[in-house]
Amino acid sequence: MKKLFLIPVLFLFFLFASCVQVVETVVTLLSDDFSARCKQVSEYEYFKNDPQGKKSCDWLFIMYMDADNSLESSIRTDFNEVEKGLASIRNANGDAASGYASVRVVVLWDGLQSKDSKIFEVYPDTTDYYAGQNTCSITGVDFISSSGNEVDMSQGSTLTSFLKFVDKHYNPRIGKILHVADHGSGPGEQKRAMCEDKTPYTGSLTAAVPMSSSEFSTALYNAGYGFAKETFSILLLDVCLGASFEDAYQFRNCAEYLIASPNSTPASGFNYTDIMRCFVTGRNSRLLSYSVAKTFQSYYEGLDAYGKDPTVTAIDLSKMDGCAEKINALASELKDKKTTYFKYLKYDGNLSDYESWNYYMVYKGSVNWLFDIGCFADKVYLDPESTQEIKDKATAVNQSLSSSIVYNWRRNVYSFDTASNKCLGITICGGMVGSNKTTMGIPSWYKPSDGVSSLAFCNLENGWADMVKEWFGVGTGVIN
C-alpha cells in the first residue's frame, strides 16, 4: 500500500473587530507527538467501570497499523479517516446514529520514531488532526511497556499480545474485523509477506524485517483464533498482493472472509471514512465484506491518475478446501503436459508475446510472479489441445472460485456487478522467466525437496506445488 500525503499546516487564527470566533483547522504533528492532543489514560482506569472490564459494541474493528516503515504518513492518514468515519455514524451522545450499528475501533500503532508504540481507542473527530482530542491513548499496557514502548510489529508475538489485550477488554456482540495496514508482496517467507518493521529505526528504509504468511497465521492461532477456536468475521489486508490463494488457504481457519487486492494497491489504499459507513444495521459478515470491497471500487472508479490498476477481492474462506481440491485436480492432470500449457503460466516482461495483458492478469510480487488462477483455468479450457476431461477440470476450478468470491473488481477489466468473470481476482504462484527467456525457478521454500513448506497449501500432494516445481524447477524465487 502506497499513499499520497499532504503535510498538515497550523494556521493562526485572527480576531476581527466584528466577530469573536476561533476556527480550528489543520495542525502539523510529527511522529513523536502523534498523540499529543488525545486523552492519555491508563489501562486500569479506562476499563475499570465496564462489566468484567470489557467495553461492548456491535462490531469491533481491530487495526494493526504497522507504520514503522516508508508508509508512516499514509497510515496516519488512515487513522484520521477512521475518526471522520466514526463521526458520521455516531450521535453526539456517543450512541450509534440511526441506521448504523455501534462500532468501536482499537488500534496498535507503531511509527518511525523510537518509543512511539501505542494502543488507541479511536473516537469521532472531524478535524484533520492526527488523533483527535477525544481519542484515547491507553497507557501502561504490559507488552508495550516491556518493549520500552517500541514494539516490533513484524513479530508474530506482537500481534498475538495485541489480540489478547483486545479480547481481554472488548466484547463485540456481532463480530470482529482484523485489519492490517502495511507493505505486502504476496505469500512469502524469505521476502516480506506483510508487516515490515524498521525497529529500531536507523535512518534506512531498505533493510526491513518481514512477517511471513505462516508466521501471521501462527500468531492468530496463538491468540486463540482458528480451527475449533474463535474466528474473525473479516480479515482486511490493506497491503499489496494480499489476495493470493496460498494466503487465503493459510488463513482459512482464522476468519470467515478475506478482503485484499490481487494486485499492488495504489495510492490511497482503502478509504476508512467510507468503510466506517458500511456498518449499517442488520448486515452480517458476508454483506459487510461485500460492502467494504465495493467501497474500494467506488473510491477508485473515477480516479484515473493512478498508474497501477486498482483491484479488490472479497473471499469466502470456508470454500478454500473445496477450491484447493479442484485446483490440485487440474494441476495433477496438467503436470506432464508442460509443453502445451507452460505458456499460460510464465511471463518474461515482453507484452508482445501475449494477446492481452489484461486477460493474462499477471502480477509482479517480490517473491514470485502471481497469476490469476481463474484466468489460467479459462486459458486451459480454451486451448485446442485440451481434452474433455481437462476442460471439465478447468470448469470445476472456476465454478469453485465463483462460489467463493463474494466480490471482485478490477478497473476496466472485470466487475462482480456485471455477473461475468466472477471467478477472477485470486492469484496463485507461477513461474518466472527472465528477459532471456530462461527459467528462474520457483522459491525454494514453496515446495522443498526435503522437509515441509511453511505454506499449508503447498503441502497438499500431487497438486499445484508439484506441478510448478516440475515445470519451472527450484531457484531463488526472488524477483530483483
Side-chain angles (χ1 to χ4, degrees):
M1 180 185 70
K2 299 178 180 178
K3 296 196 174 185
L4 303 174
F5 178 60
L6 297 177
I7 300 177
V9 178
L10 176 61
F11 292 98
L12 298 177
F13 64 86
F14 297 90
L15 299 180
F16 295 93
S18 58
C19 66
V20 180
Q21 182 179 9
V22 177
V23 179
E24 182 179 68
T25 56
V26 184
V27 67
T28 299
L29 285 177
L30 301 177
S31 301
D32 55 354
D33 61 0
F34 175 51
S35 60
R37 295 182 72 250
C38 71
K39 298 176 182 177
Q40 307 286 321
V41 58
S42 71
E43 177 181 359
Y44 171 75
E45 289 295 328
Y46 191 62
F47 297 104
K48 70 177 183 179
N49 295 323
D50 300 300
Q52 291 80 49
K54 293 190 174 186
K55 294 187 180 294
S56 297
C57 55
D58 292 326
W59 291 96
L60 182 62
F61 200 78
I62 306 165
M63 304 188 77
Y64 195 70
M65 303 188 86
D66 180 9
D68 201 348
N69 51 56
S70 60
L71 293 176
E72 187 197 43
S73 61
S74 305
I75 297 175
R76 285 204 286 160
T77 300
D78 293 341
F79 195 106
N80 191 235
E81 289 172 354
V82 172
E83 292 181 314
K84 291 180 178 180
L86 287 174
S88 69
I89 65 171
R90 281 192 198 172
N91 295 324
N93 65 0
D95 293 339
S98 177
Y100 290 100
S102 64
V103 181
R104 289 186 180 273
V105 181
V106 58
V107 171
L108 176 58
W109 166 270
D110 185 32
L112 273 174
Q113 300 301 313
S114 63
K115 301 182 179 181
D116 66 350
S117 302
K118 295 178 175 68
I119 289 181
F120 296 94
E121 182 172 341
V122 186
Y123 278 76
D125 187 78
T126 58
T127 73
D128 291 328
Y129 285 97
Y130 296 106
Q133 60 186 358
N134 293 318
T135 287
C136 291
S137 174
I138 303 171
T139 63
V141 179
D142 286 344
F143 79 93
I144 295 180
S145 300
S146 63
S147 72
N149 298 317
E150 185 56 49
V151 298
D152 185 349
M153 294 185 74
S154 72
Q155 297 298 309
S157 57
T158 301
L159 176 57
T160 297
S161 294
F162 175 50
L163 293 176
K164 287 183 175 180
F165 168 87
V166 171
D167 288 342
K168 176 182 177 182
H169 290 303
Y170 292 88
N171 183 33
R173 291 178 287 269
I174 300 176
K176 302 175 185 177
I177 295 90
L178 175 60
H179 154 276
V180 176
D182 194 15
H183 287 291
S185 64
E189 182 175 275
Q190 295 168 332
K191 287 279 187 175
R192 67 175 187 256
M194 63 184 85
C195 298
E196 177 182 274
D197 195 297
K198 304 293 181 180
T199 304
Y201 181 54
T202 62
S204 170
L205 294 179
T206 57
V209 179
M211 183 187 293
S212 71
S213 303
S214 59
E215 287 172 334
F216 184 81
S217 60
T218 298
L220 302 188
Y221 297 150
N222 289 340
Y225 293 86
F227 297 105
K229 302 176 183 178
E230 187 176 2
T231 58
F232 293 102
S233 300
I234 298 171
L235 177 57
L236 173 59
L237 301 182
D238 194 352
V239 305
C240 291
L241 305 162
S244 71
F245 188 83
E246 289 89 348
D247 277 348
Y249 190 84
Q250 191 76 23
F251 308 146
R252 72 195 187 284
N253 297 308
C254 301
E256 297 176 57
Y257 298 91
L258 169 68
I259 303 174
S261 170
N263 197 6
S264 296
T265 302
S268 301
F270 285 81
N271 184 291
Y272 294 91
T273 300
D274 294 342
I275 287 178
M276 290 299 105
R277 294 170 182 154
C278 291
F279 290 96
V280 173
T281 302
R283 282 183 176 164
N284 58 20
S285 299
R286 185 180 183 87
L287 290 175
L288 184 60
S289 65
Y290 177 98
S291 179
V292 169
K294 190 170 177 60
T295 66
F296 187 93
Q297 174 182 348
S298 300
Y299 183 62
Y300 285 105
E301 211 157 25
L303 300 180
D304 294 328
Y306 299 108
K308 296 179 180 177
D309 289 329
T311 58
V312 67
T313 310
I315 303 168
D316 182 347
L317 295 180
S318 70
K319 305 293 180 64
M320 291 301 96
D321 284 307
C323 288
E325 179 183 347
K326 300 298 189 295
I327 291 170
N328 285 333
L330 175 62
S332 295
E333 190 70 29
L334 302 181
K335 183 178 177 181
D336 61 351
K337 300 176 178 63
K338 173 182 176 180
T339 55
T340 301
Y341 301 103
F342 177 80
K343 58 183 176 289
Y344 302 135
L345 209 63
K346 69 181 183 67
Y347 176 64
D348 66 2
N350 184 0
L351 296 183
S352 64
D353 286 351
Y354 303 92
E355 58 192 22
S356 170
W357 164 258
N358 284 339
Y359 193 68
Y360 274 82
M361 288 180 284
V362 185
Y363 307 109
K364 180 180 180 181
S366 299
V367 178
N368 207 10
W369 291 106
L370 297 171
F371 292 75
D372 191 289
I373 179 58
C375 178
F376 173 78
D378 273 346
K379 298 303 289 184
V380 168
Y381 181 91
L382 295 171
D383 191 281
E385 295 193 32
S386 290
T387 64
Q388 189 58 50
E389 184 177 7
I390 290 175
K391 287 178 180 287
D392 289 344
K393 284 182 166 58
T395 298
V397 168
N398 278 350
Q399 287 176 340
S400 65
L401 291 171
S402 296
S403 70
S404 73
I405 292 175
V406 177
Y407 195 86
N408 64 354
W409 176 76
R410 178 177 176 182
R411 188 175 60 197
N412 300 326
V413 181
Y414 57 80
S415 173
F416 191 85
D417 291 340
T418 64
S420 63
N421 295 327
K422 288 189 177 181
C423 61
L424 304 177
I426 301 177
T427 59
I428 199 165
C429 179
M432 294 185 297
V433 181
S435 58
N436 60 357
K437 300 191 178 182
T438 58
T439 300
M440 297 170 65
I442 63 171
S444 58
W445 49 263
Y446 193 80
K447 188 67 176 178
S449 298
D450 299 311
V452 178
S453 172
S454 67
L455 295 174
F457 174 66
C458 297
N459 294 321
L460 301 177
E461 295 182 358
N462 301 315
W464 187 268
D466 294 289
M467 183 190 77
V468 293
K469 183 177 180 180
E470 175 72 20
W471 285 11
F472 300 103
V474 177
T476 61
V478 176
I479 299 173
N480 297 319

